């Protein structure tokens, strides 16, 4: 909202902001926490669990961003791309 205000756009759409925060971002963060917890339960060494978890996240990140593998059902905590447009709203 700071960047939006600085650029002179004062029409704030709070339902969209909260929807994005609680429907898209929060579940992904919770999945990350559960994945990290599962890694530490399965692997009984703290540093090895960190290394395995970070390695898997980096591999998934690069597979997703390079477009080599973009099947969302097999990529952990991955959602399809989407966008928000003002064309759907009536602004008076």
């Amino acid at each position: 909202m700071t960047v939006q205000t600085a650029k002179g756009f004062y029409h704030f759409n709070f339902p969209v902001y909260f929807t994005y925060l609680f429907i898209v971002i929060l579940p992904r963060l919770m999945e990350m926490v559960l994945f990290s917890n599962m890694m530490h339960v399965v692997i009984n060494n703290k540093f090895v669990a960190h290394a395995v978890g970070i390695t898997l996240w980096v591999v998934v990140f690069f597979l997703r961003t390079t477009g080599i593998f973009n099947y969302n059902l097999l990529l952990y905590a991955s959602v399809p791309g989407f966008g928000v447009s003002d064309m759907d709203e009536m602004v008076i």
Side-chain angles (χ1 to χ4, degrees):
M1 289 186 346
T2 306
V3 173
Q4 186 175 345
T5 304
K7 293 192 179 230
F9 187 74
Y10 300 108
H11 178 251
F12 300 110
N13 196 350
F14 291 111
V16 172
Y17 302 153
F18 290 125
T19 300
Y20 181 74
L21 182 65
F22 291 113
I23 303 296
V24 177
I25 298 293
L26 186 64
R28 291 181 75 185
L29 292 176
M30 291 177 67
E31 285 182 31
M32 189 183 326
V33 168
L34 291 174
F35 175 74
S36 300
N37 192 10
M38 190 259 320
M39 279 289 125
H40 284 280
V41 168
V42 171
I43 301 171
N44 200 16
N45 187 337
K46 175 179 165 181
F47 298 108
V48 174
H50 284 315
V52 170
I54 291 171
T55 303
L56 287 175
W57 276 104
V58 168
V59 167
V60 167
F61 174 76
F62 281 119
L63 285 176
R64 175 92 170 131
T65 56
T66 58
I68 294 172
F69 188 75
N70 59 2
Y71 188 59
N72 291 323
L73 292 176
L74 294 180
L75 291 174
Y76 190 77
S78 180
V79 295
F82 64 94
V84 178
S85 173
D86 280 340
M87 294 180 69
D88 297 333
E89 294 184 21
M90 180 186 289
V91 178
I92 298 174

